[in-house]
Amino acid sequence: MCNHMRFHISEVRKVMPEDSFYFSILRNPVTMMESSFSYYKYIPAFSKVSTLDQFLQDPWSHYNASLPNNHYAKNLLMFDFGFNNNGKDERHLNLSIAMIAKTFNLILISEYFDESMILLKNALCWSLDDVVSFKLNSRNNKTKQQLSLETMEKIKEWNSLDWKLYLHFNRTFWRRIDESMGREKMQDEVKKLRDRRIDESMGREKMQDEVKKLRDRRNQLMKICLQEGGAVDPSQVKDTSFKPFQYGAAEIQGYNLNPHLIDQTKTRCQRLITPELQYTALLYDKQFPDMVLKAVQNKTKQTHSQTWKASKAKMRQRRNLNHQGAENQNLRHNVYRKRGPKRTAQNNLPNMP
């Protein structure tokens, strides 16, 4: 299960098996705040300011935690993990981090996406093609703001819980790379004869090698799949079924497929460019086929009902037109009959001298 939601382990366990593998990915709170301001510009916290700097000058004068959707404006990572995003207690933060570490098998880092995919691939015993992807849901440069160092520090202070959470799992992320992949390399090539320092360096070396393979494969698929070779602005996406959802002030880019793709290659390329909402719909159809079938049947019945009602309306309309036509014909006939004797009388007049 992978989707937008606020995580509550008790609720998730109601629908997931006991041996589920839990993983999540964190984004740097600084760049996430800049993105949130652009994408969620119309939430109450941001709606009355024109720039992010203006908001950060006095954020509490604009932010009200009780208003809907304002959680996007403060400590969004903490909120998404199901914790209080308005707290200030260091003990509460430490308990939250401990619960996340206990619940999730793997925490990835968005800024090191390729390295994250390698860790995920290894953890789940997947192949390289299982984790290769195109970048989706990205904005064009026109709607991105360059942040000053002062602004970055203000964002860290305003989102202090998120910043500390991010720093913690950024450290565990690199520790996992150094330890797990380093040990594997040690077993394969030097059979545990090297010390810890060599073990760590070999881990980074192997990660770099696998990341290069992943990026090479992505570039290969982009040449095969994409008409323009990369992302385009939403107005240039030709097939609307692959157009990303647009919201706020951001312009979310999409892709155009090469027109001559066939069979399995076309299917794979379509999956790579499908935006998140459309992909969620595909997953829903696959996960709940009975419900989808029932919905289609209900829609078919509804369509048949609407068609029958439309047919009856057309039949009534035709009857009304026929009735009206008959009345008009009788009216013309009556007028002719009334005018008939006059014409006849005129025709019977004697010839004028």
Side-chain angles (χ1 to χ4, degrees), residues 7 20-21 52-53 67 87 121 125-126 161 165 172 175 188 196 200 224 254-255 265 278 298 310 323 351:
F7 188 79
S20 295
F21 182 93
L52 179 57
D53 286 320
L67 294 180
K121 174 183 79 71
C125 300
W126 287 349
L161 298 181
L165 180 77
T172 62
R175 189 184 307 148
D188 293 341
R196 171 80 175 189
E200 291 180 355
I224 294 171
Y255 297 96
T265 303
Q278 291 92 315
N298 291 337
H323 181 67
N351 292 332

Side-chain angles (χ1 to χ4, degrees), residues 160-291:
S160 61
L161 298 181
D162 273 7
W163 181 243
K164 293 173 183 177
L165 180 77
Y166 177 81
L167 290 178
H168 173 85
F169 284 107
N170 186 56
R171 287 192 294 269
T172 62
F173 174 82
W174 288 107
R175 189 184 307 148
R176 181 156 183 159
I177 290 176
D178 291 337
E179 292 178 354
S180 64
M181 297 195 68
R183 292 195 187 107
E184 180 182 345
K185 186 71 176 181
M186 178 71 74
Q187 292 170 357
D188 293 341
E189 296 191 11
V190 299
K191 298 181 180 179
K192 298 182 180 180
L193 293 177
R194 297 185 178 178
D195 59 19
R196 171 80 175 189
R197 185 176 181 182
I198 296 178
D199 183 82
E200 291 180 355
S201 66
M202 293 301 289
R204 296 288 177 103
E205 182 180 338
K206 183 170 183 181
M207 171 61 76
Q208 291 173 359
D209 180 59
E210 293 215 37
V211 167
K212 182 180 183 302
K213 291 178 182 178
L214 177 65
R215 289 171 177 168
D216 289 343
R217 178 61 175 157
R218 180 187 297 125
N219 291 333
Q220 181 185 21
L221 285 171
M222 290 182 77
K223 291 178 181 178
I224 294 171
C225 297
L226 304 181
Q227 190 170 17
E228 288 84 4
V232 297
D233 286 346
S235 60
Q236 297 176 314
V237 176
K238 297 174 183 177
D239 188 339
T240 55
S241 64
F242 295 113
K243 185 175 181 178
F245 176 69
Q246 304 296 313
Y247 187 79
E251 290 188 14
I252 308 302
Q253 295 184 307
Y255 297 96
N256 290 317
L257 284 179
N258 278 326
H260 304 301
L261 298 172
I262 58 173
D263 301 335
Q264 293 182 347
T265 303
K266 183 176 182 180
T267 300
R268 176 165 181 75
C269 290
Q270 286 175 335
R271 289 176 180 172
L272 286 168
I273 71 164
T274 300
E276 56 183 312
L277 296 182
Q278 291 92 315
Y279 211 101
T280 300
L282 291 174
L283 292 176
Y284 184 90
D285 292 350
K286 187 173 183 178
Q287 188 174 4
F288 305 106
D290 294 338
M291 294 179 66

Side-chain angles (χ1 to χ4, degrees), residues 5-6 9 38-39 70 81 86 94 104 128 130 134 151 154 159 168 174 209 239 250-251 258 262 328-329 353:
M5 68 173 183
R6 191 178 188 192
I9 186 61
S38 174
Y39 197 77
N70 267 358
F81 277 113
N86 295 295
N94 292 334
F104 286 83
L128 197 64
D130 289 327
F134 295 160
T151 300
K154 287 182 178 179
N159 297 281
H168 173 85
W174 288 107
D209 180 59
D239 188 339
E251 290 188 14
N258 278 326
I262 58 173
N328 291 339
Q329 186 174 2

Side-chain angles (χ1 to χ4, degrees), residues 8-17 22 103:
H8 287 287
I9 186 61
S10 59
E11 295 298 317
V12 173
R13 282 177 176 162
K14 291 178 181 178
V15 296
M16 300 300 292
Y22 292 96
T103 303

Side-chain angles (χ1 to χ4, degrees), residues 138-144 232-234 249-253:
S138 62
R139 292 176 292 157
N140 60 17
N141 292 327
K142 292 185 295 184
T143 56
K144 292 180 181 179
V232 297
D233 286 346
E251 290 188 14
I252 308 302
Q253 295 184 307

